[in-house]
Amino acid sequence: MSTSIADAKNLLDDLIARYSSRVDYLAIRLEESEGTDIFLRGDKIETLSEGVAIGGQVRACYRGGWGFASFNHLGSLSDRVEEAIAAARLVGEEETLLAPIEAIRDTCQMPISGIHPRQIPLADKKALCDRYTAILRGVDPRIATTSVRYADSAQRILLFTSEGTAIDQSWVDMEMRFAATARNGETVQTGRETTGSRKAYQDLTALDDQVRGAAQRAVDALSLPTARGNTYTVVIDPILTGLFVHEAFGHLSEADMAYENPDLLEVMTLGRRFGPPELQIFDGAAPPGHRGSYFYDDEGTPATTTQLIKDGILAGRLHSRETAGKLGEAPTGNARCLNYQYPPLVRMTNTWIERGSTPVKDLFTDIKKGVYARNWLGGMTNGEMFTFSAGEAWMIRNGKLAEPVRDVTLSGNVFSTLADIEAIGDDFYWDESGGCGKGGQSGLPVGCGGPSLRIRNVVVGGDAH
């Protein structure tokens, strides 16, 4: 930081003491980050950069109204505090409702199990991307375009509040994305892979098989028949389960979504049954080692594990201190911001469906005609409706895997789909590829996990005839 950490902490303490009496709540978050960003499109370098960012944010709350200001220079910090307080006092006209938490003074760092990415020269990271590009291109002459992206970021955050919290927290995050598009005449198919880690640079250096698989899927799909659109019983793999629980259900569990939408709040009534008794869904930053893991959220609330669905029944939701206060529930440590330029929002961390008891091979039993879908190409949600594109798919015929098919999309209503879960596999996989977007803050690291699932009545898009 532009001054020593000790000096910065003293400055934040002094400002909090000077200004806290003018508002109901005051928080100053100071952030230092350094990172690498590399993006190769074919052999062309689109991005090759290393940078350091220093800045912070001030949040003030007065009679329920929020003021926010961000800054890049510590010398202007007192002016930004004045601005945030003035804005809060201008709009506040109700009551400040923040669920109480204990004041915490702590210094903590998410543990690294291997080499720190900031110890690796930029040239070595570029060489890694070149190697993966060569693998993608070398799979088949029909590979028309490729892309490889590498990103890492090391963040250190100081959070001081008017309630006495003083937290010094740091972590590192890494991510790689690969894509290959194959072309044969008018037919175009794409394969993708994404992976990430908060543990070690080595987690990104031995992905040759994964990268090759993305390109091979694109090539193989060129000659596959298109799935016939219909409603099927579907078996999905753990990666698609993780995507489904995050995108289709997790966002609806974020309490700011429900609080701002009375109709959704009515639908998301605690105690309502959503799935079979075997269904257990969780979210939490407390499980260590995942991309959504941390010790404290961006309001200083300790990380927790929240059970969202227990025995098929809605049992909890994700909160900031404000949503918890307004709904009379406990804060869950889910207030997160992408960086100092944005205020914290209610966000998922690591979201998963607990493994079940059905052997995976038995998930296919008695399916006369269905679809098995693995991995993902993309997806979108609109409220309670979702559509996902599978990375690979096969028809299921008489309980057995049959011919592979392409262009498989799975769509439906999340509440109907949860109710239509027929069996939950005894396998489980953590997918660390997630970069979540909400409220203009895209790319927030998250983890997703789950077992294979068997679901009836899923609308599968494909060939209409």
Side-chain angles (χ1 to χ4, degrees):
M1 296 182 177
S2 56
T3 185
S4 75
I5 289 293
D7 288 344
K9 290 180 177 179
N10 289 334
L11 174 62
L12 298 191
D13 261 335
D14 290 346
L15 289 169
I16 290 290
R18 190 192 320 168
Y19 287 103
S20 60
S21 64
R22 295 177 53 187
V23 287
D24 300 325
Y25 173 79
L26 181 65
I28 306 175
R29 180 185 191 269
L30 190 61
E31 174 184 326
E32 180 183 49
S33 65
E34 52 181 322
T36 304
D37 196 2
I38 303 172
F39 182 57
L40 306 183
R41 195 183 301 277
D43 290 331
K44 183 181 178 184
I45 300 172
E46 300 268 346
T47 306
L48 182 66
S49 68
E50 289 201 303
V52 176
I54 299 172
Q57 61 174 244
V58 182
R59 297 173 72 221
C61 191
Y62 178 73
R63 295 179 62 182
W66 286 94
F68 177 85
S70 61
F71 59 90
N72 294 102
H73 303 287
L74 280 176
S76 68
L77 180 49
S78 60
D79 292 338
R80 301 292 85 78
V81 175
E82 294 267 13
E83 286 178 9
I85 289 174
R89 293 180 69 92
L90 185 65
V91 298
E93 52 186 25
E94 296 178 4
E95 181 185 4
T96 297
L97 288 172
L98 301 179
I101 60 171
E102 286 189 27
I104 292 167
R105 302 187 80 87
D106 194 10
T107 298
C108 49
Q109 180 170 357
M110 297 299 291
I112 295 285
S113 60
I115 297 173
H116 196 295
R118 304 309 304 154
Q119 298 173 346
I120 304 297
L122 179 62
D124 290 3
K125 297 171 184 175
K126 165 66 163 53
L128 180 68
C129 294
D130 288 337
R131 190 179 102 217
Y132 289 146
T133 295
I135 291 173
L136 289 170
R137 296 182 65 148
V139 165
D140 192 279
R142 289 169 289 182
I143 297 292
T145 61
T146 64
S147 67
V148 174
R149 178 166 190 253
Y150 170 95
D152 66 48
S153 176
Q155 287 185 303
R156 182 173 187 175
I157 294 161
L158 305 181
L159 177 68
F160 282 58
T161 79
S162 55
E163 298 171 333
T165 285
I167 294 171
D168 179 347
Q169 180 172 216
S170 54
W171 58 70
V172 63
D173 187 77
M174 297 161 277
E175 182 179 84
M176 291 201 78
R177 295 176 176 266
F178 315 98
T181 299
R183 182 183 296 274
N184 186 8
E186 295 297 308
T187 304
V188 177
Q189 292 290 311
T190 299
R192 301 184 198 278
E193 283 285 342
T194 304
T195 192
S197 173
R198 286 199 162 184
K199 296 179 184 176
Y201 178 75
Q202 300 98 302
D203 291 346
L204 304 181
T205 60
L207 304 175
D208 299 38
D209 291 344
Q210 198 172 337
V211 172
R212 191 176 293 110
Q216 191 64 55
R217 286 199 302 274
V219 172
D220 291 347
L222 291 172
S223 57
L224 295 181
T226 302
R228 177 163 295 190
N230 209 330
T231 299
Y232 295 97
T233 294
V234 169
V235 177
I236 62 175
D237 80 322
I239 292 179
L240 266 174
T241 295
L243 177 70
F244 168 75
V245 72
H246 173 95
E247 291 287 354
F249 179 75
H251 281 294
L252 296 176
S253 296
E254 293 166 340
D256 55 347
M257 304 276 285
Y259 182 77
E260 295 162 7
N261 184 339
D263 292 338
L264 178 59
L265 188 59
E266 186 175 346
V267 171
M268 298 289 284
T269 299
L270 298 182
R272 180 173 178 177
R273 176 166 293 282
F274 281 102
E278 195 180 4
L279 181 64
Q280 321 290 340
I281 300 181
F282 297 86
D283 177 277
H290 302 296
R291 291 190 67 208
S293 303
Y294 46 77
F295 292 106
Y296 303 97
D297 75 358
D298 287 311
E299 294 182 325
T301 304
T304 63
T305 296
T306 303
Q307 184 154 12
L308 302 175
I309 287 188
K310 181 178 182 179
D311 304 332
I313 293 170
L314 190 67
R317 54 181 130 243
L318 307 178
H319 283 295
S320 65
R321 292 185 60 194
E322 183 175 43
T323 61
K326 288 182 173 178
L327 292 175
E329 297 172 15
T332 59
N334 286 83
R336 306 178 67 193
C337 57
L338 185 65
N339 57 47
Y340 67 87
Q341 301 173 66
Y342 303 95
L345 302 172
V346 183
R347 306 294 296 270
M348 281 171 279
T349 57
N350 307 297
T351 314
W352 72 96
I353 294 180
E354 196 64 77
R355 77 176 75 232
S357 58
T358 303
V360 175
K361 61 180 175 54
D362 292 347
L363 296 175
F364 300 86
T365 303
D366 299 332
I367 299 177
K368 188 172 182 182
K369 185 178 181 182
V371 173
Y372 175 51
R374 281 181 50 187
N375 215 319
W376 60 276
L377 273 178
M380 60 177 293
T381 58
N382 182 9
E384 58 196 66
M385 305 304 295
F386 67 88
T387 300
F388 300 132
S389 301
E392 300 175 272
W394 292 259
M395 296 304 298
I396 302 169
R397 300 187 187 279
N398 298 316
K400 305 287 186 184
L401 280 187
E403 73 275 15
V405 289
R406 73 178 189 210
D407 299 338
V408 167
T409 61
L410 313 174
S411 59
N413 174 290
V414 61
F415 302 120
S416 301
T417 302
L418 289 171
D420 283 334
I421 293 174
E422 289 187 323
I424 300 175
D426 62 358
D427 55 344
F428 189 93
Y429 177 76
W430 274 109
D431 183 6
E432 308 292 351
S433 69
C436 179
K438 178 180 174 180
Q441 303 186 42
S442 295
L444 188 72
V446 294
C448 305
S452 300
L453 298 177
R454 170 172 162 160
I455 312 168
R456 61 179 175 268
N457 300 327
V458 178
V459 175
V460 175
D463 195 350
H465 57 272

